[in-house]
Amino acid sequence: MKPSIEKLQKIFRLEAERKYDNKAVFGGLGSMAGAWEGEARADGLPEDLVQVILARLRDYERLTPESRSDALKGLWARIRRTLGEGDETAEPAPTTAPETGSGPAPEHEFTEVKPKLVEELERARENPSGNTDWIKDLPTLPPRPTGDQKVAVIIPGPQGGETSAETPPPTAEPAQAREKPRPKPAAKREERQAPARPPVRKHRKVRGPRLQPEGPSAALDAAVTVLDGVGPKNAEKLARLSIHSLGDMLTHYPRRYDDYSQLSPINRLKYGDEVTVIATVQSSAVRPFKGGGGKLVEVIVSDGTGALRLNWFNQPWLAQQFKEGTHVVLAGKVEQYLGRLQMVNPEWELLDDEQLHTNRIVPVYPLTSEMTQRWLRTQMNKVVTYWAPRVEESLPQSVLDDADLPPLSEALQQVHFPDSREDLEDARARLAFDEIFYLQLGALRQKREWEARPARRFEAPEEWLAAQVGGLPYELTASQRRALEDLRADFASGRPMNRLLQGDVGSGKTAVAALAAGIALRDGAQAAVLAPTSILAEQHLKSFSILLAGEGGLLAPQDVRLMIGATPESEKAEIRAGLQAGSVRLVVGTHALLEEPVQFKDLQFAVIDEQHRFGVEQRAALRGKGENPHLLVMTATPIPRSLALTVYGDLDLTVMDEMPPGRQPVTTHVLVPRERERAYTLIKRELAAGRQAFIIYPLVEESDASDSRAAVEEHARLQNEVFSRFRVGLLHGRLRPDEKEEAMRQFRDGEFNVLVSTSVVEVGVDVPNATVMFIEGADRFGLAQLHQLRGRVGRGGGESFCLLIPEKDDAAENERLLAMAETNDGFVLAERDLDQRGPGEFLGTRQAGFGDRLRLASLTDVKLIEKARQHAHALLERDPELAQPEHSRLAKWLAEFWRSGQGDLS
């Protein structure tokens, strides 16, 4: 059986036995994809099979246990079909385990069963996970010990003789199993005697509650130079990793872990295994490379079951460490050269040393240049060992008990140097909880502070509101009516509105915002609408004027004004005077509204559209132009629930998930590059019918670093060769603001039939006549972007199309593209995008440095977020100011967590 397929077989079997919990491989099946790909190519597996397997491994984490079962079964069937029923890979020969209780086993059946492993085997047998016959011939587990039956442990004695020991059943004290057996007299053997295999060493495991150690509390602010071995040069290297103090070291978490906790005899090693081996040095030598230019350290070690070659490149001093007869612990990946197994540059330690780099779950840290894992791991161990136990607990005992969390000091130790996978998972869960908990506390405290302020009440009588709604040229959807009721209740509450109105493109948010503005304007107050672009501001001016300043409306046309960058200074001065005097009742504008000279007489309602395009300071500036005004922020980007709960935790949330009647879904097709002419044909058909089209490119100009098509070069080609009968406009981010506005205006007014653009068109242009959105290099865009771009068409009521073409044929199977073709539901796509690409697609400039606060927590973990939010809310109910003595340390930690970016959260 090919090693790569054999590895999959074992992992699939273990997954089935673990009920598909994605823990057969440390870090989940997706984490092994990269390493396995290299093994598969070395084995010469068919490329299409390799790609299918990699796709399934990377998707595995997002599946339910039932779907994981189906996926692995289907994948195994695909492997067997591809490699052939008669192939040796399809039906490998069965193997058997040595019988227990029958004395020493043959050398090739060397077995060592540690008490912990026996316990794991017992649990596996007592909790079967159903039928796993779909994977044949995984090496059989050792039989379960019963009664007085004992498990044979064969350990080579001195001079290669064998020692037989008996391990008590799992209920016995583990220390008994670690006792070194007495060697038998060496037997006469004709063959060369192998050196002795040293006894197994296990690292200490600390369990249960920890007492605060004697000595000073953790000096988290102390510079790293207090550590032995960290002088100015090394401190400079650490600074490049943002490590300046001991506290920074404790929160410099590993980026991954290598699990070397499973010891393996040499004769059981297989290509690709990542294991720990305890062995004795037989020989060591330093050889020059052929042709010069370097030296190779070659060491041969043996453990009595076989020999293994070790190689290090350009480290000749290592030869002095590997003297004949030295007992060493080695950890690394088993490789193959000329048919012989070897390890290249393995981690190693002398057996008498504390095992920090081998025989355990080994942390792997982010590094910088001129820094090695071994050095940083050693420094981290100094800090973690001495200082982590002295870190003061940040959470009150009530939260620890209710949330079932380990102490902070224990979590910090286990996240760096875990004793087991379970301890590591508990530690990461605790530290991730802290991050979300602090976020939630900050958001909820700010929300409480804002709600504690007084705000002017605005009533909307039923008769008046019904008349306003009845005067609209269309019927409101149920979602719009619910949103309007939420806003109406906010106005009547006596506290400032602080609401996020979230609705897909075209769901009717503007109409709701205009009706809400009418409630404030009815009582003589002023309102302001802030938009990210001039053209979007012009669209809002038109919409608000129709709804509020039309015939029989609340306002006269001169009461509504537009202030954008292009507004003449004389007109700006006139608008500013009107706002200060109160004669201008509603102003719509861009960043020009935020300028210092703009003052209002009675600003009571502010609307911010596409709020993720504005920073915290800009929103605070608009809010500060009134006295606790009601604030409504809007976004057309569907935000996943977990993200809304965390990042927008200080806002009340209203979701509009219904489209107006008559709005048809945009038909979406994924094409391969060779079908580009089909797309052009469809576009020409629509243009001939008087419609318009967008053509989007990922780049502005072509680059040597990328093969992607670019807007500038393609614009010329499309105008001259493809759409010569039509006018083709160009829009991209390098144009001056006035040039961008002019290009969008010309397309909106029908002066261009086709607009070639980059993603800058994602927000801010409403062209009901546009029916085609054609996106080149679509695999380079995230789902949120693709969905926003698709929302630019289909606004005129007729059939519309979105055509997606990836850069290469094989990218047509891209998950994001297929998801776009499957659904028009922005919330479904948003959840997938958050899983695949993280929160950046949704946050924009909203939270500068937000991601820096989340080192371990995932914004896709809804369960964790809801748990943290629940406990944060309960804590603030008991102690809103965190003034009680038992909360003093929490208040300190919370202030430290929010030391950057304090103030208005949203």
Side-chain angles (χ1 to χ4, degrees):
M1 177 185 292
K2 297 183 186 299
S4 57
I5 296 298
E6 183 179 25
K7 174 182 282 191
L8 286 182
Q9 185 185 48
K10 292 181 179 181
I11 291 169
F12 289 2
R13 166 60 67 86
L14 185 55
E15 262 302 290
E17 291 173 349
R18 295 184 62 94
K19 299 184 181 180
Y20 305 97
D21 62 356
N22 196 27
K23 294 181 181 178
V25 176
F26 190 65
L29 266 62
S31 67
M32 65 173 282
W36 183 87
E37 182 177 4
E39 299 169 20
R41 300 195 191 287
D43 286 344
L45 295 185
E47 182 61 26
D48 58 341
L49 179 62
V50 172
Q51 292 302 323
V52 169
I53 293 173
L54 291 175
R56 295 297 183 272
L57 292 178
R58 288 165 178 153
D59 289 346
Y60 190 76
E61 181 182 5
R62 292 191 290 275
L63 303 177
T64 63
E66 295 77 12
S67 298
R68 290 172 180 174
S69 172
D70 294 340
L72 293 190
K73 291 176 183 178
L75 184 55
W76 188 248
R78 171 76 175 267
I79 291 171
R80 295 185 64 182
R81 284 198 308 272
T82 302
L83 299 178
E85 282 292 327
D87 187 88
E88 63 170 0
T89 310
E91 294 289 349
T95 62
T96 58
E99 294 184 2
T100 59
S102 57
E107 191 173 81
H108 69 278
E109 291 182 347
F110 178 97
T111 304
E112 181 166 355
V113 182
K114 295 183 288 185
K116 183 178 176 183
L117 178 57
V118 174
E119 293 174 7
E120 292 175 354
L121 299 179
E122 276 206 280
R123 287 198 298 270
R125 289 193 178 93
E126 290 171 355
N127 298 285
S129 58
N131 181 15
T132 58
D133 291 341
W134 54 276
I135 303 178
K136 302 294 185 183
D137 183 43
L138 192 66
T140 309
L141 297 175
R144 176 182 176 181
T146 59
D148 295 331
Q149 186 179 2
K150 300 179 180 181
V151 180
V153 180
I154 311 303
I155 302 178
Q159 305 303 319
E162 291 182 340
T163 297
S164 177
E166 291 183 333
T167 302
T171 55
E173 183 68 21
Q176 300 174 16
R178 295 198 298 268
E179 292 177 359
K180 184 174 180 180
R182 294 181 180 179
K184 288 184 178 180
K188 292 183 179 181
R189 302 183 61 156
E190 296 180 0
E191 64 270 24
R192 179 180 182 274
Q193 302 298 322
R197 183 174 189 267
V200 175
R201 235 178 102 94
K202 295 186 67 175
H203 52 279
R204 183 177 65 89
K205 180 173 182 175
V206 181
R207 301 294 296 174
R210 297 172 183 266
L211 298 175
Q212 194 78 9
E214 296 182 2
S217 60
L220 300 182
D221 294 331
V224 293
T225 49
V226 301
L227 297 172
D228 290 338
V230 181
K233 289 185 178 179
N234 284 331
E236 184 180 340
K237 297 175 187 176
L238 290 170
R240 294 201 291 266
L241 295 171
S242 298
I243 298 176
H244 306 279
S245 66
L246 300 183
D248 293 336
M249 293 192 75
L250 286 179
T251 56
H252 185 71
Y253 301 127
R255 60 183 175 86
R256 65 177 174 86
Y257 300 82
D258 289 334
D259 189 356
Y260 298 139
S261 60
Q262 298 303 313
L263 290 170
S264 180
I266 290 176
N267 73 331
R268 293 291 181 86
L269 298 181
K270 294 189 176 79
Y271 172 77
D273 287 349
E274 291 191 358
V275 295
T276 291
V277 173
I278 297 180
T280 303
V281 176
Q282 286 188 329
S283 66
S284 65
V286 180
R287 309 182 189 283
F289 290 150
K290 292 181 179 180
K295 293 183 178 181
L296 172 70
V297 176
E298 182 180 271
V299 177
I300 306 297
V301 298
S302 173
D303 66 351
T305 73
L308 180 66
R309 182 194 305 270
L310 315 172
N311 287 332
W312 285 271
F313 297 101
N314 293 322
Q315 301 179 62
W317 59 88
L318 287 179
Q320 299 300 317
Q321 302 290 329
F322 292 93
K323 297 185 178 181
E324 184 175 356
T326 302
H327 298 321
V328 292
V329 187
L330 306 152
K333 186 174 181 179
V334 179
E335 302 184 12
Q336 195 168 347
Y337 179 69
L338 297 178
R340 297 183 60 182
L341 296 182
Q342 65 176 15
M343 284 185 176
V344 178
N345 295 325
E347 294 283 0
W348 66 276
E349 292 167 309
L350 297 177
L351 182 59
D352 292 336
D353 291 346
E354 177 187 3
Q355 290 161 24
L356 180 63
H357 312 286
T358 61
N359 195 25
R360 66 178 306 143
I361 299 173
V362 177
V364 179
Y365 293 96
L367 297 177
T368 186
S369 59
E370 301 179 356
M371 180 183 292
T372 66
Q373 277 292 342
R374 195 178 186 89
W375 180 85
L376 181 57
R377 193 181 297 131
T378 301
Q379 299 302 324
M380 295 295 296
N381 187 54
K382 294 177 186 176
V383 175
V384 171
T385 301
Y386 186 81
W387 291 108
R390 292 168 169 77
V391 172
E392 293 182 334
E393 179 56 60
S394 60
L395 299 183
Q397 191 62 43
S398 59
V399 174
L400 291 178
D401 294 340
D402 293 344
D404 190 23
L405 299 170
L408 176 60
S409 60
E410 180 177 330
L412 287 170
Q413 293 173 77
Q414 293 296 327
V415 80
H416 287 284
F417 298 99
D419 292 332
S420 68
R421 293 186 184 188
E422 292 76 14
D423 291 330
L424 174 59
E425 289 173 3
D426 289 346
R428 290 178 65 88
R430 161 64 204 266
L431 297 172
F433 177 91
D434 283 10
E435 293 172 353
I436 299 295
F437 186 71
Y438 297 146
L439 274 178
Q440 294 289 358
L441 277 178
L444 291 174
R445 287 183 73 185
Q446 182 167 297
K447 184 176 182 180
R448 284 171 171 267
E449 291 172 5
W450 184 249
E451 290 175 347
R453 300 177 184 180
R456 181 172 165 184
R457 296 176 186 269
F458 293 94
E459 301 292 339
E462 289 286 351
E463 302 79 11
W464 176 85
L465 188 59
Q468 297 300 310
V469 172
L472 296 174
Y474 43 76
E475 189 79 16
L476 290 183
T477 66
S479 285
Q480 287 175 305
R481 291 182 180 277
R482 286 193 299 268
L484 189 57
E485 284 303 313
D486 287 344
L487 299 178
R488 186 182 176 193
D490 288 344
F491 276 126
S493 68
R495 58 178 177 80
M497 177 194 300
N498 197 32
R499 186 169 294 277
L500 171 63
L501 181 59
Q502 175 185 353
D504 216 338
V505 175
S507 59
K509 298 184 298 299
T510 302
V512 172
L515 289 169
I519 296 175
L521 294 168
R522 174 178 175 271
D523 280 358
Q526 291 174 299
V529 181
L530 181 64
T533 66
S534 296
I535 195 166
L536 190 55
E538 291 176 5
Q539 290 172 190
H540 281 321
L541 177 71
K542 181 179 179 181
S543 299
F544 276 71
S545 296
I546 292 173
L547 295 170
L548 298 173
E551 185 176 350
L554 284 170
L555 305 177
Q558 63 269 21
D559 295 339
V560 184
R561 302 298 295 270
L562 175 71
M563 181 182 284
I564 59 178
T567 304
E569 186 54 42
S570 59
E571 188 176 344
K572 284 183 180 179
E574 179 187 335
I575 295 172
R576 286 195 292 266
L579 289 172
Q580 193 165 6
S583 58
V584 174
R585 303 283 307 285
L586 172 65
V587 62
V588 181
T590 57
H591 295 73
L593 283 181
L594 305 176
E595 295 172 359
E596 188 63 33
V598 177
Q599 296 182 4
F600 291 79
K601 180 181 180 181
D602 187 23
L603 177 64
Q604 291 292 330
F605 183 51
V607 180
I608 300 177
D609 194 20
E610 296 300 338
Q611 57 86 35
H612 63 283
R613 296 294 175 119
F614 295 96
V616 169
E617 296 80 5
Q618 293 164 320
R619 287 188 292 279
L622 180 60
R623 190 181 250 168
K625 292 183 180 295
E627 186 175 348
N628 300 334
H630 296 278
L631 177 67
L632 175 67
V633 296
M634 304 192 300
T635 180
T637 302
I639 302 170
R641 182 164 176 265
S642 61
L643 197 62
L645 283 173
T646 306
V647 186
Y648 303 99
D650 59 322
L651 297 171
D652 296 312
L653 179 63
T654 294
V655 176
M656 292 173 51
D657 55 1
E658 187 178 355
M659 300 301 287
R663 178 80 184 265
Q664 296 185 27
V666 178
T667 303
T668 303
H669 298 283
V670 180
L671 308 176
V672 296
R674 62 177 177 273
E675 295 179 298
R676 188 173 284 106
E677 289 300 325
R678 289 180 57 196
Y680 292 158
T681 300
L682 186 148
I683 293 173
K684 289 176 182 177
R685 185 192 73 190
E686 291 295 300
L687 298 182
R691 306 296 186 186
Q692 292 168 278
F694 293 93
I695 300 181
I696 308 298
Y697 292 92
L699 300 178
V700 176
E701 294 179 315
E702 291 182 356
S703 165
D704 293 336
S706 174
D707 295 331
S708 300
R709 293 173 178 250
V712 172
E713 288 79 8
E714 288 296 295
H715 168 257
R717 184 183 69 86
L718 293 173
Q719 178 66 87
N720 297 328
E721 301 176 16
V722 182
F723 304 112
S724 55
R725 294 174 43 221
F726 304 97
R727 289 200 63 194
V728 181
L730 176 63
L731 172 66
H732 56 75
R734 294 183 187 173
L735 297 175
R736 295 195 310 271
D738 60 321
E739 292 175 327
K740 287 190 282 188
E741 298 286 347
E742 179 62 16
M744 287 192 286
R745 184 198 64 76
Q746 288 179 290
F747 184 62
R748 181 192 62 188
D749 295 345
E751 297 177 27
F752 293 138
N753 307 99
V754 177
L755 184 62
V756 172
S757 176
T758 58
S759 60
V760 70
V761 79
E762 175 187 344
V763 171
V765 61
D766 186 4
V767 184
N769 193 44
T771 57
V772 181
M773 173 61 67
F774 176 37
I775 304 176
E776 288 271 11
D779 51 317
R780 293 172 60 96
F781 295 89
L783 278 172
Q785 260 190 320
L786 290 173
H787 185 63
Q788 284 282 300
L789 290 169
R790 178 168 62 183
R792 294 299 105 202
V793 299
R795 305 168 77 88
E799 184 179 17
S800 297
F801 306 91
C802 179
L803 308 177
L804 306 173
I805 291 189
E807 293 183 341
K808 298 179 181 178
D809 285 2
D810 55 6
E813 297 299 315
N814 183 290
E815 279 187 56
R816 296 194 301 278
L817 305 191
L818 295 178
M820 287 289 294
E822 291 169 5
T823 180
N824 275 268
D825 189 325
F827 292 94
V828 172
L829 297 174
E831 290 288 351
R832 295 194 190 182
D833 215 25
L834 182 59
D835 286 342
Q836 294 173 11
R837 291 164 66 90
E841 286 281 308
F842 306 93
L843 296 180
T845 60
R846 180 181 190 280
Q847 287 290 341
F850 178 85
D852 294 341
R853 299 189 181 104
L854 300 183
R855 300 169 188 250
L856 294 178
S858 168
L859 289 176
T860 64
D861 192 343
V862 178
K863 187 175 180 180
L864 171 66
I865 290 168
E866 291 180 334
K867 177 180 178 180
R869 187 175 180 82
Q870 172 190 345
H871 289 288
H873 190 273
L875 181 66
L876 291 177
E877 284 291 321
R878 298 194 301 269
D879 184 11
E881 303 301 323
L882 300 181
Q884 297 176 10
E886 61 267 30
H887 298 153
S888 60
R889 286 199 298 268
L890 173 61
K892 182 181 71 174
W893 280 76
L894 184 64
E896 177 67 16
F897 185 80
W898 284 106
R899 68 184 183 277
S900 60
Q902 289 186 12
D904 193 10
L905 181 66
S906 58

